[in-house]
Amino acid sequence: MSDMSSLYHEVIIDHGKNPRNFGKIEDALELKGLNPLCGDQLTLYVKIDNDRIADVKFNGQGCAISMASSSLMTQAIKGKTLAEAKVLFTAFHDLVMQEQSPEAVEAILGKLMILQGVKVYPSRIKCATLAWHALNAILEGKHGVVSTEKNGD
Amino acid sequence: MTTRDIQRMERRVLDWDAHKIREDFPILKQTMNGVPLVYLDNAATTQKPQCVIDRLARFYSNENSNVHRSVYTLAEEATQSFEEVRKLTRAFIHAHDKKEIVFTKGTTEAINLVANTFGKSLQPGDEIILSELEHHANIVPWQMLAQERGIVIRVIPMLPNGDLDLDTFETLFTPRTKLLGIVHVSNTIGTINPVKKMVKVAHQYGVKVLVDAAQSIVHMTVDVQELDCDFLVFSSHKLYGPMGVGILYGKEEIMKKLPPYQGGGDMIRSVTFDHTEYADIPQRFEAGTPNVADVIAFGEALKYIRSLPVDSLIAYEHELFEYAYQGLEEIDGLGIVGKPHLQAPIISFMMEGIHPHDIATIISQSGVAVRAGHHCAMPTSRAFGIPATIRVSVAFYNTFAELDLLFNALNTVNKVFS
């Protein structure tokens, strides 16, 4: 059961059940993230002030992994510059998507490293990255909806 | 000793047969995540007995040649073995004639075949009736046809318990209704639809009926003459046979009038650049080299099933279902989705505050394989107002001890989330 306890760590259960920064921000940039395979959906709200993420919230529904990952992400990016947020996105992406994630990501991600257990479950990686893809789309100036299942995937 | 204990003991006696049956299925000796595999995803696909696996190897080792072509002995024998399975399939579903059996690559292709042949006779404004319990395979081909030909799809709604609303069903027929497409057993919540009765109603309105038997074929006797359906479809791989083989049954007098499905070799009588004369049924619908090896191995699966005592098999699966149902109901926060009047051994459930994907991932560590998701029947999930469920589906090789492992694993899920 070691793999399971490393993924369903108490921090993840806690954030999954009581997600932080859960809610809506009026007059913010917003983007919807969908994972049609699980039925997970969330909306990310980002308020940018002077090139910095002044506030961030999310709402929606999903599994413990997607809720916890979203919650931990909002904590990690709040107050960061857009460039710093992009660095976090790339580091998190490398952590869960690469077989051997670069050593450097540990220093960048800190607490977010807790989600690396998801790598053992390839079908669950999209749960962990859903909020991050929504964030990345906002950083790239996109609007509307992003889906984990792009055309041709 | 409580009544429940006595019930359990009686069931343990039945259990013995299952242990013997399990010897026929090599994969059931597997471990998953270091513990014995508890395979409870039989509605997705069933496991294969050794005789089916061996038959595939034997075909490719000793008999491989194409069918319906050459006259040398090897090819004659392959053709004979292939056509033998058509006879076995006819007998299995009690069809009138082997010509009424068409091999496809699956249930999905069989439905697409009907949509692309029978469907070609439909005119703009014609109507098709489907139900809220359909698998996507019996929705999307008709939707594509509707877009192409301007036909209208009407839907039989589901009652809150997961039965179809038969009163509304009867009101959906109009003079433009041409086809009823109906699932025999829901792959999501196990509802057994009263198909025979529904066929009778449809025929009163002169409407043809296609029955999706993908889930029913493995749990009950399916008799196409008794049902009186016009088309019936199912897959080999949900009936202990190989993947890549589907069966379309169609009444001879209807099939004879249908245009071909795909063009190519094997479906013709003669070809010139000016004109092609098509073969008779069933070859008319089997263009190209068929999946010979898998069809032949499917025949072995049919022989295997027919060697088992069918009444005991059905009774045993029902016992497993009842044991699963009771055990699941006793788990904290667990709610079974739907309570149909008649239910095949397919159970969908949710656990309070815990997403189905988390449940499936966690119990996978205890070796338990169940399906989590919308089960390719999103309209059914939507009718219940839920995005996803966990689905447990048993087969005759499952045991009561395995269900106990499922219950333990689900209790662990509750602990992880407490």
Side-chain angles (χ1 to χ4, degrees), chain A residues 3-153:
Chain A
D3 288 337
M4 189 197 87
S5 44
S6 70
L7 176 59
Y8 287 91
H9 187 281
E10 60 188 33
V11 173
I12 289 183
I13 299 293
D14 173 35
H15 278 262
K17 284 165 86 171
N18 310 297
R20 321 297 197 268
N21 300 309
F22 193 83
K24 189 179 175 177
I25 308 173
E26 302 293 340
D27 309 324
L29 299 171
E30 70 173 81
L31 197 123
K32 207 167 194 177
L34 300 177
N35 183 348
L37 292 183
C38 310
D40 288 358
Q41 48 180 298
L42 61 86
T43 307
L44 186 68
Y45 302 90
V46 180
K47 194 149 199 170
I48 296 171
D49 185 19
N50 250 342
D51 209 34
R52 205 170 271 281
I53 296 175
D55 198 8
V56 55
K57 281 194 166 123
F58 79 101
N59 58 28
Q61 56 171 0
C63 64
I65 306 299
S66 70
M67 286 291 110
S69 183
S70 309
S71 170
L72 288 160
M73 181 192 83
T74 58
Q75 286 188 322
I77 63 169
K78 204 183 243 186
K80 295 280 193 297
T81 65
L82 301 186
E84 286 166 340
K86 188 80 184 180
V87 168
L88 277 168
F89 166 78
T90 308
F92 189 80
H93 196 262
D94 288 349
L95 175 75
V96 296
M97 297 303 286
Q98 290 189 15
E99 213 168 306
Q100 280 282 316
S101 43
E103 276 177 36
V105 301
E106 194 165 342
I108 300 168
L109 293 173
K111 193 178 176 183
L112 294 169
M113 289 296 290
I114 208 162
L115 280 153
Q116 68 178 324
V118 80
K119 277 164 94 158
V120 188
Y121 307 96
S123 64
R124 305 300 305 279
I125 290 172
K126 284 170 178 167
C127 308
T129 55
L130 181 59
W132 287 96
H133 280 297
L135 171 70
N136 191 47
I138 286 183
L139 295 176
E140 287 178 354
K142 290 180 186 152
H143 305 282
V145 180
V146 286
S147 171
T148 55
E149 305 307 300
K150 295 176 198 117
N151 291 335
D153 252 13

Side-chain angles (χ1 to χ4, degrees), chain B residues 167-321:
Chain B
D167 293 337
T168 305
F169 164 64
E170 299 219 17
T171 68
L172 297 178
F173 290 89
T174 74
R176 300 301 303 268
T177 311
K178 296 289 187 268
L179 183 86
L180 163 66
I182 182 73
V183 71
H184 198 177
V185 164
S186 156
N187 75 311
T188 307
I189 56 168
T191 309
I192 303 175
N193 286 319
V195 165
K196 190 180 166 184
K197 195 172 144 192
M198 294 173 85
V199 170
K200 211 169 170 189
V201 173
H203 284 174
Q204 281 166 8
Y205 291 92
V207 171
K208 302 280 184 273
V209 183
L210 177 143
V211 175
D212 171 2
Q215 296 295 341
S216 58
I217 194 80
V218 72
H219 295 303
M220 59 191 74
T221 304
V222 172
D223 181 329
V224 291
Q225 294 194 67
E226 196 202 330
L227 293 175
D228 197 26
C229 53
D230 302 285
F231 303 102
L232 183 128
V233 294
F234 62 98
S235 295
S236 148
H237 78 97
K238 292 191 203 286
L239 190 58
Y240 309 102
M243 292 182 174
V245 176
I247 287 85
L248 164 65
Y249 156 82
K251 276 184 185 164
E252 185 179 349
E253 71 263 26
I254 298 170
M255 296 289 265
K256 266 162 61 177
K257 290 183 200 139
L258 295 182
Y261 169 47
Q262 293 175 326
D266 234 15
M267 53 75 75
I268 49 87
R269 189 173 289 141
S270 71
V271 178
T272 67
F273 276 103
D274 298 323
H275 179 69
T276 292
E277 207 171 304
Y278 301 122
D280 286 336
I281 64 165
Q283 267 75 30
R284 190 189 305 162
F285 305 108
E286 293 179 356
T289 296
N291 188 351
V292 181
D294 289 307
V295 166
I296 290 174
F298 169 57
E300 205 62 32
L302 290 178
K303 285 185 212 163
Y304 176 79
I305 298 159
R306 289 180 69 177
S307 75
L308 302 170
V310 64
D311 291 343
S312 313
L313 185 158
I314 291 172
Y316 179 69
E317 284 190 351
H318 189 72
E319 290 287 310
L320 278 177
F321 164 72

Side-chain angles (χ1 to χ4, degrees), chain B residues 34-48:
Chain B
V35 283
L37 171 68
V38 176
Y39 187 77
L40 297 171
D41 194 17
N42 294 288
T45 193
T46 51
Q47 299 303 344
K48 322 304 172 200

